[in-house]
Amino acid sequence: MALLEINNNEVHSLPRPSATVMVLRDGPTGMEVLMVQRHNDSGVLGGVHVFPGGKLDKLDCDVRPDQLDRPMHELRQALGETGLDDATAAGLHVAALRETFEESGLLLHALNAPLPAQTPEQLRAGLASGAGFANALSALSLPLSTRSIQPWSRWITPRMPSVTNKRFDARFFVAKAPADQDVLHDTHEVSDTVWLTPEAALRQYWEGQIGLVPAQILSLSELARYSRVDAALLAARQRTPLLIEPEPFDQDGARVICYPGDPRHSQSTAIWPCPTRMTFRNKRFEPEGGLAALLP
């Protein structure tokens, strides 16, 4: 497991737009979520288990309206963000689909038939040529299926980010794993992939078997409230994506990160049933009340 180190340097750069997908499937013991382990030598969160995702690329925003399965303004409305332009909203959806494919080999789609066996290899070749994800799909006569993902939350890294020296404005999505595909992770950025129930992932974190950062910890805590994929997807469709802006401070020599609803947070109203603060102890972030506070 990766042991985290606290970063005390304030970061003055603007947060980088990015997209993350919590890919879900129904397993024998309940709903499972796909997690990828970043390489130990990765520049961001090396060794930590995260959901597939990454930065928004310029090519993601160059998608044409005819390459989308929904109008751009619907994608903007789905994200529920004031001031977001249509092209960036579409690009964030494209980035979510692209990063999921690049890091896990899963092409999220809404097709009524299985993908041809050669599709992943052909799509990777298209991406390697610099065509961009939307164009690479178009070359294979495949749709860019934004309907296969649902916005879930938005995490904005504070200027004192605590666990990395880079800031992100990350849009989290949820999606159902395609039944016709197997995970084949990218060996460049990812060293391992695993399907875990949210509860199992949190228990493994608590027992020191895997490393997690607060955005993953609390997202898993939210997902643990759902026993089936369809229930989580329905919840995503029925709510405006949560805006989560962590606010860190130091107390008694320890770094604390608080969230909406905490007495120290600028937003007094709670937005979820999860813990409202995490404290860095034992080389990890822990909520008040321990593991039990993270579980339903």
Side-chain angles (χ1 to χ4, degrees), residues 164-194:
T164 177
N165 60 358
K166 297 179 181 178
R167 297 185 68 198
F168 294 96
D169 185 347
R171 281 71 169 191
F172 280 51
F173 296 82
V174 289
K176 188 172 185 176
D180 61 317
Q181 299 175 48
D182 295 320
V183 172
L184 182 62
H185 66 262
D186 166 36
T187 57
H188 175 66
E189 296 185 51
V190 175
S191 60
D192 193 19
T193 55
V194 62

Side-chain angles (χ1 to χ4, degrees), residues 64 67 122-123 126 129 131-143:
R64 302 188 311 272
Q67 293 175 310
Q122 292 173 333
L123 187 52
S129 72
F133 192 64
N135 290 333
L137 283 172
S138 294
L140 299 176
S141 300
L142 290 172

Side-chain angles (χ1 to χ4, degrees), residues 8-37:
N8 290 304
N9 298 320
E10 190 168 308
V11 181
H12 295 280
S13 60
L14 293 175
R16 305 178 184 186
S18 60
T20 292
V21 182
M22 299 184 292
V23 184
L24 310 174
R25 72 178 187 184
D26 290 318
T29 60
M31 186 181 74
E32 300 173 338
V33 60
L34 178 66
M35 304 205 74
V36 301
Q37 183 180 21

